[in-house]
Amino acid sequence: MKHFLFFTFLVFTVSCLSAQKVNNDILTGNEAYRKGAFAEAATNYEQALKIDGNNPIAIFNLANAIYKQNQYASALTHYIQIIQQTTDKSLRAKAWYNMGNAYIRQQKINDAIQAYRQSLLLAPEDNDARENLQKAMQEKSRQDKQKQQPNKSPESKQAKNPLNPALAEQYMQQLREQEKQLQKQLQKSPTTGQRDKDW
């Protein structure tokens, strides 16, 4: 019985030390994140995950640190992992919200709209998610309208212009002829002395 108690105590002690190491790595990562050292923060969160690979806080913070380094596809992978692994509604709502932001950065408006909606289902009071959802929907509407309008490129404007180059040349030729005739008429008319200059 003594050996069993000792073994149980030893397992509990190792477990506590591991949890403490994970928490220290997360706290160190958080400090680096606050300073803007996102790569260093990511390294600390990865160290925590080597000990506890399912720690939702470490995964979430790692995703955020990666997002801050403009690695949106990789961040999305970690947000999805959080959503699949945790039952914490608040953390899942935050992960969906950040997924929406990552999708926006990748110009994936439809995916962003879905992510913001999922976030609002979990946290209906989240005004930021509501505002971002509205902005994403407005952008989608603008893009849809733009797709429906005919292309107004310079080439299409030229096609609508009734004055094609051949016709324009013909008009220019007529104007030159009229100018020549006017010059001939001016040469035929007699000059009556020298004109004074207009000052």
Side-chain angles (χ1 to χ4, degrees), residues 36-59:
F38 303 117
E40 181 184 334
T43 301
N44 286 297
Y45 300 135
E46 287 168 346
Q47 289 296 323
L49 288 170
K50 285 180 182 175
I51 299 167
D52 180 5
N54 293 323
N55 186 301
I57 301 301
I59 296 168

Side-chain angles (χ1 to χ4, degrees), residues 17-172:
L17 290 175
S18 294
Q20 186 176 4
K21 172 72 171 121
V22 168
N23 289 337
N24 285 340
D25 286 338
I26 291 173
L27 290 173
T28 304
N30 291 349
E31 186 62 32
Y33 188 94
R34 276 192 280 286
K35 291 178 181 176
F38 303 117
E40 181 184 334
T43 301
N44 286 297
Y45 300 135
E46 287 168 346
Q47 289 296 323
L49 288 170
K50 285 180 182 175
I51 299 167
D52 180 5
N54 293 323
N55 186 301
I57 301 301
I59 296 168
F60 182 75
N61 290 357
L62 175 60
N64 291 340
I66 291 170
Y67 174 93
K68 287 291 192 174
Q69 295 175 68
N70 303 326
Q71 298 173 14
Y72 307 117
S74 180
L76 283 166
T77 302
H78 294 293
Y79 291 133
I80 290 169
Q81 183 181 1
I82 294 163
I83 291 165
Q84 292 173 343
Q85 289 181 355
T86 188
T87 57
D88 182 347
K89 278 178 67 171
S90 173
L91 191 57
R92 290 179 74 207
K94 290 175 185 176
W96 278 113
Y97 175 81
N98 288 356
M99 280 179 67
N101 291 342
Y103 283 130
I104 287 290
R105 296 291 186 156
Q106 294 179 318
Q107 302 296 316
K108 296 180 178 179
I109 303 297
N110 291 333
D111 292 333
I113 289 170
Q114 293 307 316
Y116 291 136
R117 283 182 178 160
Q118 290 297 321
S119 178
L120 283 170
L121 286 173
L122 294 167
E125 71 285 350
D126 188 342
N127 290 328
D128 290 334
R130 185 173 291 102
E131 184 178 321
N132 283 5
L133 174 60
Q134 289 173 348
K135 287 179 182 178
M137 291 176 75
Q138 288 171 350
E139 177 63 21
K140 179 170 177 18
S141 176
R142 185 190 67 77
Q143 287 178 357
D144 289 346
K145 284 180 185 176
Q146 204 171 38
K147 287 178 185 176
Q148 291 174 356
Q149 290 179 350
N151 189 8
K152 294 189 176 183
S153 66
E155 293 171 359
S156 64
K157 287 181 183 177
Q158 286 178 352
K160 289 181 182 179
N161 189 351
L163 192 62
N164 64 31
L167 192 55
E169 182 60 36
Q170 186 180 0
Y171 285 137
M172 289 299 293

Side-chain angles (χ1 to χ4, degrees), residues 191-197:
T191 57
T192 56
Q194 191 174 11
R195 295 180 131 187
D196 291 357
K197 292 182 179 178

Side-chain angles (χ1 to χ4, degrees), residues 164-179:
N164 64 31
L167 192 55
E169 182 60 36
Q170 186 180 0
Y171 285 137
M172 289 299 293
Q173 188 62 32
Q174 287 176 351
L175 287 174
R176 286 186 204 113
E177 287 297 322
Q178 288 175 357
E179 186 180 347

